[in-house]
Amino acid sequence: MKEIRPPKKNLMLYYGIALIIVGLLNFALIPYLNNMSIQDIDYSTFISMTEAEEISRAEIQENQILFVTKEDESVIYRTGIIASDTKLVDRLVEADVLFASPIVEEASPLMNIFTKWILPMVVFFGFGQLMNKRMMNKMAGNNTMMFGMGKSNAKIYVQSSQGIKFSDVAGEDEAKENLAEIVDYLHTPKKYQEIGASMPKGILLVGPPGTGKTMLAKAVAGEANVPFFSISGSEFVEMFVGMGASKVRDLFKQAKEKAPCIVFIDEIDAIGKKRDGRIGGNDEREQTLNQLLTEMDGFEGNNGVIILAATNRPESLDPALTRPGRFDRRVPVELPDLKGREEILKVHAKKVKTEPGIDYLQVARMASGASGAELANIVNEAALRAVRNHRNTVLQSDLEESIEVVIAGYEKKNAVLTNKEKMAVAYHEIGHALVAAMQTNSAPVQKITIIPRTSGALGYTMQVEEGNHYLMSKEDIENRIATYTAGRAAEEIALHTITTGASNDIEQATKLARAMITRFGMDEEFGMVALENVSNQYLGGDASLVCSLETQTRIDEKVTQLVKKQHAKAKNIIKENEEKLHKLAQYLYEHETITGDEFMSILNT
Ligand code: ADP
Ligand code: ZN
């Protein structure tokens, strides 16, 4: 969300100006006021006036002499001091001048205090006020109010009408359904209170990055038409112990004043991580978390403050935070499925000019595994590509190309591959596609290309899933491993050589094979024993082995066997279709890009 930070630079500027004005007052104006009737004359005139006995009184100051004449005592004359004039005093005595008494009355002490202290303060204060007003006006223009948060200095931003509604969030129907209840509650709390039901105080939105958690929280506020407070968990964690806790207190104070309202805490894991008993742990974070827990306990379920929090590391949260009465409801916000992707694409495509009749389902199919944020990015990339090609509408091909850009990077126009390398890449990619197509359970290919990409890929095969797969059978996984190894297999068979081009395939195949044994219980010997723990399931899913060293050795052996077996299978499939392999590779070599349909028609002739 957009946040308005106070313009710090301007503030410094204004204080600078105030300082200069005070300075000017002190150095120019005040002496000027004091010396209004002083006349400067030169020293020789002074001497001649003394000798002419025109002077009645004089005052010798440190660096000047002030005197008045007998004629008119209201005019004060001033002249400099000439240090070498040793006869000054003699001359004055001779001329009967009174020179011990002061000529100019010292300004009264009260006046002094006023000019030196009060006036500057008034000027500073006035400027401060002026600044505040201007800042307030700016905020009002942005439809945003800012709350200073006492000593903690934290800022909470309320955006009363951001205008995001559930309809702006495509897909995520389950999450929306779940949150619709909250909206209903905020609209008609009576209905719930009458029966004695209380709303959950806190709702945890969990899911991978970019799936629309922030959007959903905003949409709840938008639908219920209540203020939306947003703060990131990391903003609570400060350098000094106690600051975070104070921010939490202030946040809840503000929220209660504005109730009913939504408080959204993004990345709550920054403060809500499990407290460990270690001495010298993160005191500040723990204090902040404790304060949050206290605040949540402190208000009754029905006072209209509903806290939404987002995280992509739910397993790392402190159990105290997720127990009933606090964040007791968990709403999963998962990566969109095929239909969800199609809808998200449509929502974002509304914001750009598109040619009519775009097949969004097709685009969604190609973008398997993409998050909402990535899909939004794909549409934007497509629009940029349209502009680059001097068109004023986005075409289907723009969308398809931008998926490839997001997956594999831009086309490397000037990468020069030798013919031999190009041939090897063609065989490699056809190998993947051929084995994928021949194994009935594998998804057919969408597109094969051997144009190098900035990501470093020299070519790739885009497989397409026809529908959604929630489950994968053992055979599915084995086939997939076979497909990964097929690139290398094709090189071996057709070119009798192996290249470094298979490194990514090897990585993927190994990962799958290992997961089959350690996590999916698909090995006969180990059966349904978990040999690996997965942490951070929404952030790539790091796995750590939990077994003895001997078992680890056995796992490694089994992984090797498994991959070898599938590699052999892939080689067999390719050998059986060697003629097709050459034909397809030749075609790809010449055309550089072929579609799934072209591929299938050559395969089936
Ligand atoms: P998160 O908080 O889960 O990391 P955000 O809510 O910040 O993700 O989403 C980032 C951007 O991705 C949004 O601004 C929006 O453009 C896009 N987006 C994500 N999910 C969706 C969705 N379901 N529908 C429409 N746009 C989405
Ligand atoms: Zn490959």
Side-chain angles (χ1 to χ4, degrees), residues 168-172 207-216 264 266 310 312 333 336 340 343-345 347-348 351 371-377:
D168 294 312
V169 188
E172 305 298 351
T211 45
K213 296 185 289 297
T214 311
M215 262 189 119
L216 276 168
F264 178 62
D266 205 357
N312 32 42
V333 187
E343 280 169 21
I344 294 174
L345 281 170
V347 163
H348 287 281
K351 297 175 199 156
S371 69
E374 281 168 324
L375 291 168
N377 188 22

Side-chain angles (χ1 to χ4, degrees), residues 428-429 432 459 483-484 487-488 501-502 504-505:
H428 181 105
E429 297 304 332
H432 284 306
T483 303
Y484 280 128
R488 165 67 64 88
N504 184 45
D505 302 334

Side-chain angles (χ1 to χ4, degrees), residues 22 34 71 83 89 100 102 123 192 208 221 226 283 290 297-298 307-308 314 333 355 373 392 455 497 510 567 600:
V22 171
N34 285 342
E71 204 173 298
V89 177
V123 169
Y192 293 82
V226 295
D283 274 349
N290 285 338
D297 289 342
I307 309 165
L308 299 180
V333 187
E355 75 165 344
N392 51 15
S455 67
T497 173
T510 313
H567 188 179
M600 289 317 270

Side-chain angles (χ1 to χ4, degrees), residues 10-166:
N10 277 349
L11 207 66
M12 291 308 290
L13 188 76
Y14 279 101
Y15 279 127
I17 294 175
L19 212 73
I20 289 170
I21 289 181
V22 171
L24 283 177
L25 278 179
N26 259 326
F27 290 108
L29 188 61
I30 292 167
Y32 176 73
L33 280 173
N34 285 342
N35 302 344
M36 264 210 311
S37 51
I38 289 183
Q39 271 187 29
D40 282 306
I41 55 169
D42 55 50
Y43 202 75
S44 52
T45 319
F46 168 60
I47 293 178
S48 55
M49 279 169 87
T50 318
E51 281 168 355
E53 299 196 352
E54 284 171 21
I55 296 172
S56 63
R57 292 186 295 127
E59 182 191 352
I60 303 167
Q61 291 180 344
E62 231 174 294
N63 49 11
Q64 64 183 8
I65 300 169
L66 301 177
F67 60 93
V68 289
T69 56
K70 288 173 183 161
E71 204 173 298
D72 181 6
E73 292 224 336
S74 67
V75 179
I76 300 168
Y77 294 90
R78 174 167 63 189
T79 186
I81 291 248
I82 306 289
S84 54
D85 182 7
T86 47
K87 293 203 185 109
L88 172 66
V89 177
D90 294 346
R91 229 183 289 121
L92 288 176
V93 173
E94 213 161 281
D96 252 347
V97 177
L98 287 169
F99 60 89
S101 58
I103 297 251
V104 183
E105 290 289 321
E106 264 286 323
S108 76
L110 265 174
M111 184 67 178
N112 234 343
I113 289 175
F114 176 76
T115 51
K116 290 223 170 88
W117 296 100
I118 298 180
L119 198 63
M121 254 147 74
V122 167
V123 169
F124 257 88
F125 190 72
F127 256 90
Q129 285 292 325
L130 203 75
M131 268 303 297
N132 257 348
K133 255 212 191 109
R134 290 187 59 152
M135 258 160 58
M136 282 305 207
N137 287 344
K138 261 191 206 162
M139 299 297 174
N142 280 311
N143 196 8
T144 305
M145 284 181 277
M146 184 188 72
F147 291 88
M149 305 225 357
K151 21 181 210 319
S152 74
N153 257 341
K155 303 279 184 286
I156 303 294
Y157 303 94
V158 177
Q159 299 193 316
S160 39
S161 60
Q162 256 254 329
I164 289 192
K165 292 277 161 67
F166 277 147

